[in-house]
Amino acid sequence: MTILGIETSCDETALALIEARRRGEGFECRIIRSLVHSQAELHSAYGGVFPSLAKREHGKNLVPLLHKLLDGSGVEYGAPLDPEAFSRHIDGFRADLGKQNPDLVESVAGADFLKNVPRIDFIAVTEGPGLEPALWVGINFARLLCLLWNIPVLPVNHMEGHVVGSLLDPDLPFGTWQKLKPLPYPALALLISGGHTELVLVPLPGKYEIVGQTRDDAVGEAFDKAGRLLGLPYPGGPHIALLARQAFEQNLTSAIRLPRPMIESGDLDFSFSGLKTAVLYAVRKETAGGRELTPDFKKGLAREFEEAVADTLDAKLRGAIEKTGAQAIIIGGGVSANDALRKRFRKTADERSLPLFLPSRHVSGDNALMIALAGALHSSAGMPKSRELKAHGTKRLGENAVIT
Ligand code: KG4
Ligand code: ZN
């Protein structure tokens, strides 16, 4: 089956096309294309994601991105829509959503290529968690394509996308069939992104229990806020990582020791707001009397910050492995692009001889490939059940479970 994935939960407009099939007990997929249009530069002026701007940009980006995705993709086409049916759908769409998503409606109305009906079996779209105005754009686009092309839509949880995206083989090029490696259960996922920090137990395929989470800021948010305090562009995570690496190469350390929050709490929860505050105090002290931050100070503090985060995440991961008897570790979310963190997780997994699933660079940040894949895994037991489509900004991945 061929699946179109749509992801608009934050500041990335993303589409992907995959093929998937079940083979005996196994599952195979082939990535045809995955496109991500990042709005990060636009949002950087606001120091974070600005929801109404994200919504408008998704509305503008989706149609051209779909054109790029389909063009030359090799996807087959059925009989085209007759122009009258197309206009009727567009009129209905305009009446329904013209006020809510004017950019999307107008770009769809002008897109003649949508009259060609690709042979896609279903659409998988992110329903949450995320920014609701942004999520709605992807959902409304999926609803429109569903009407135009007469194909079902399956809503997908963004966090499940981050879990399953990490199962893809990072070394295989697009276009080749790959068999997903069988996952030993229970597996444990550490999801670290700009909006989330969660430890999720996966006792069985498709079942999730949250065993630990942040009580305040997400780890990516802490990176971004610390980055801002150090005068780095948004998102701060990659910039802090770069400075930390330079500090390591130049053997620079920080005179300031940052806290390792909740490391001794005995549970699996996180807290990162204190770490950010500690960076704030360190910067304030350094700049007292109008002094400028020196490049070496920034590098040293970035390194110390990254180490504090690594110590904290790694301690909780180790605790969770012990408490849950996990047989495999999955790391997902944008922050998992961080090399220092990847090294730590690798060491923890190797010491316990546990398989570690780390996302490749093109799936660590938000993307639609992981959404299409999550949809494919759900549907491979049967055809997807389209249910009422709605954005769920605070949607959770499974129930909370207390592990003692
Ligand atoms: O998963 P993601 O793309 O979007 C959300 O769903 O939040 O994660 C974005 C987050 C940002 O906070 C960004 O600073 C962080 O991932 N990030 C990093 C690195 N690359 C991206 N954090 C630390 N080190 C990196 N190399
Ligand atoms: Zn994400």
Side-chain angles (χ1 to χ4, degrees), residues 38-56:
S38 174
Q39 307 168 8
E41 222 170 280
L42 289 175
H43 293 278
S44 65
Y46 302 93
V49 182
F50 194 60
S52 60
L53 177 62
K55 172 186 159 180
R56 196 185 73 204

Side-chain angles (χ1 to χ4, degrees), residues 215-243:
R215 295 190 179 171
D216 41 60
D217 292 352
V219 61
E221 196 178 349
F223 265 102
D224 297 340
K225 287 178 174 171
R228 203 171 170 184
L229 290 167
L230 292 176
L232 305 172
Y234 171 85
H239 297 279
I240 291 205
L242 185 67
L243 290 186

Side-chain angles (χ1 to χ4, degrees), residues 158 162 193 366 370:
H158 178 85
H162 277 304
S193 71
D366 286 347
M370 66 185 195

